């Protein structure tokens, strides 16, 4: 069961409680679930009962109990507990979880770099405009890529003639000049430098990451740290994690085996599986909120989870070990992480080299 599946399960419980007159409150559009924090119980938690308590005129713990009764026996859900003032805590069913993990790895393998793409924004064409400024142009370009990945046709307009150096950053503008009809404006904090200046000092990939990684209302950090070849540089961390997954595949090929999604349970695996499963929801949210920084932060989380997993359980045999089913499954998980990293970097307009 993925976080999206669990969110849907909780939402169905809310609808059922309302339909049965056990709960008198508006049904929310979506229910947020998140990984249990340190010291909590189970795998995931939700504060939906606290959100519904006021409109329902009931104590939050009573709302939580109403919802827990209606989630009993849900496929993939092992145990539901109530903690604190009314938090719902979920423990997933281990056997169903293993099947879901196998299905997830198969899905990533089948969809490749399009894993996480969808039709959340399918419908009327979207139109965006931006000022003649490098950060606005790069952000608009990333938003274009994200909303297209969610099924929306999009057109980008610049208030004035574009800077010729933008093309070296992979930026294209469809229309020049302020259009007669007001469009949704993309206005991040200006970078304070031109595209040419940034390209000369940082190159295209580091420039795009430096412009896109901070939230639009924050100042872009465009120092030489973006070029540091070390894990303290988030861009290097993400790209190195991707290149490491490719190196693992090459190493396995030399040893005569390939990946095979089995039961990826093991040290470090749950956290990596969770962020891979979250990828479609992250892409949809980044497109909906016009926020490429959400995707950049997610890629950092995937990279960290990959290295934790890799350090705890090597996908390649060590010493005199022979390749086993466990190695093939770990390799499948590592390759899925690499696919997510490469696909995410592509949507940000940043290259993902196989060697680094």
């Amino acid at each position: 069961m993925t976080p999206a599946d669990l969110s849907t399960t909780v939402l169905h419980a809310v609808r059922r409680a309302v339909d049965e007159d056990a709960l008198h409150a508006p049904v929310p559009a979506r229910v947020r679930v998140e990984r249990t924090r340190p010291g909590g119980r189970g795998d995931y938690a939700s504060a939906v009962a606290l959100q519904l308590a006021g409109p329902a005129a009931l104590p939050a713990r009573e709302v939580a109990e109403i919802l827990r009764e209606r989630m009993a026996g849900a496929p993939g859900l092992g145990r539901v507990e109530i903690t604190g003032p009314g938090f719902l805590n979920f423990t997933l069913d281990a056997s169903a979880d293993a099947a879901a993990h196998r299905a997830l790895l198969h899905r990533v393998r089948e969809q490749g770099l399009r894993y996480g793409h969808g039709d959340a924004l399918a419908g009327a064409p979207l139109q965006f405009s931006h000022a003649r400024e490098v950060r606005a142009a790069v952000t608009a370009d990333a938003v274009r890529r994200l909303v297209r990945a969610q099924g929306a046709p999009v057109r980008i307009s610049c208030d004035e003639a574009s800077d010729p150096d933008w093309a070296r950053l992979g930026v294209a503008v469809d229309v020049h000049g302020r259009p007669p009809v007001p469009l949704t404006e993309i206005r991040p904090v200006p970078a304070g430098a031109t595209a040419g200046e940034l390209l000369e000092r940082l190159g295209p990939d580091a420039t795009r990451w430096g412009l896109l990684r901070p939230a639009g209302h924050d100042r872009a950090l465009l120092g030489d740290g973006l070029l540091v070849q070390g894990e303290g540089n988030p861009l290097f961390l993400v790209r190195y994690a991707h290149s490491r997954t490719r190196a693992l595949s090459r190493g396995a090929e030399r040893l005569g085996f390939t990946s095979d999604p089995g039961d990826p349970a093991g040290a470090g695996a749950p956290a990596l599986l969770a962020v891979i499963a979250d990828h479609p929801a992250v892409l949809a949210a980044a497109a909906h909120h016009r926020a490429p920084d959400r995707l950049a932060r997610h890629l950092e989380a995937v990279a960290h989870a990959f290295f934790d997993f890799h350090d705890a359980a090597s996908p390649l045999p060590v010493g005199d070990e022979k390749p086993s089913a466990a190695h093939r499954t770990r390799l499948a998980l590592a390759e899925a992480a690499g696919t997510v990293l490469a696909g995410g970097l592509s949507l940000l307009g940043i290259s993902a080299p196989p060697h680094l």
Side-chain angles (χ1 to χ4, degrees):
M1 176 178 281
T2 67
D5 295 332
L6 180 54
S7 176
T8 300
T9 297
V10 180
L11 187 59
H12 286 169
V14 174
R15 288 200 183 104
R16 181 179 167 190
V18 170
D19 291 343
E20 294 173 355
D21 280 336
L23 193 63
H24 299 281
V27 178
R30 62 185 292 271
V31 169
R32 182 179 178 183
V33 298
E34 55 185 10
R35 298 294 297 184
T36 303
R37 295 177 184 177
R41 296 184 188 175
D43 301 305
Y44 292 92
S46 175
V48 64
L50 283 74
Q51 298 164 10
L52 296 174
L58 292 172
R61 286 189 68 92
E62 187 172 336
V63 174
E65 185 59 45
I66 290 170
L67 298 179
R68 178 168 70 170
E69 292 174 359
R70 285 157 179 80
M71 284 185 282
L77 195 54
R79 187 169 66 253
V80 182
E81 299 175 89
I82 301 171
T83 60
F87 291 102
L88 287 164
N89 294 261
F90 310 102
T91 300
L92 304 183
D93 179 85
S95 60
D97 214 25
H101 291 160
R102 287 193 294 272
L104 172 65
L105 297 184
H106 278 293
R107 186 161 64 252
V108 176
R109 174 176 289 187
E110 290 169 359
Q111 296 179 5
L113 298 183
R114 293 187 59 80
Y115 169 65
H117 292 208
D119 57 2
L121 297 180
L126 299 176
Q127 299 185 78
F128 302 104
S129 67
H130 63 85
R132 191 181 187 275
E133 191 276 327
V134 61
R135 189 178 184 193
V138 170
T139 301
D141 177 73
V143 169
R144 179 212 296 264
R145 295 166 189 255
L146 286 165
V147 298
R148 279 182 173 172
Q150 296 303 312
V154 59
R155 186 176 70 166
I156 301 294
S157 172
C158 180
D159 294 349
E160 306 172 57
S162 61
D163 183 336
D165 284 327
W166 290 355
R168 295 163 59 196
L169 285 168
V171 172
V173 176
D174 300 317
V175 180
H176 293 134
R178 185 175 293 277
V181 179
L183 306 182
T184 301
E185 288 191 86
I186 294 177
R187 295 187 295 178
V189 175
T194 67
E197 292 167 348
L198 293 173
L199 283 163
E200 182 178 354
R201 185 161 54 85
L202 300 173
D205 287 328
T207 294
R208 286 189 71 105
W209 181 271
L211 295 172
L212 295 173
R213 170 57 179 82
H217 55 268
D218 291 331
R219 184 170 63 89
L221 301 178
L222 297 164
D224 292 341
L226 289 165
L227 299 177
V228 171
Q229 300 291 294
E231 294 183 12
N233 174 8
L235 173 59
F236 176 81
L237 178 76
V238 169
R239 299 172 86 204
Y240 178 56
H242 167 261
S243 69
R244 187 73 192 115
T245 67
R246 298 292 297 272
L248 290 171
S249 297
R250 293 192 298 269
E253 184 177 2
R254 287 194 295 269
L255 293 173
F257 76 99
T258 57
S259 62
D260 179 31
D263 180 2
L272 182 53
L273 286 161
V275 289
I276 291 173
D278 285 345
H279 188 62
V282 170
L283 292 187
H288 177 76
H289 294 285
R290 326 302 188 217
D293 59 289
R294 294 190 178 204
L295 173 56
R297 289 194 299 273
H298 173 66
L299 297 181
E300 290 176 40
V302 174
H304 281 295
F306 164 74
F307 283 119
D308 288 344
F309 160 74
H310 177 275
D311 293 345
S314 174
L316 297 182
V318 178
D320 295 332
E321 281 186 310
K322 299 296 183 183
S324 66
H327 291 114
R328 288 190 286 274
T329 299
R330 292 174 200 156
L331 181 61
L333 179 52
E335 290 175 343
T339 297
V340 167
L341 293 169
L345 285 169
S346 176
L347 289 174
L348 295 177
I350 297 171
S351 67
H355 301 272
L356 200 61

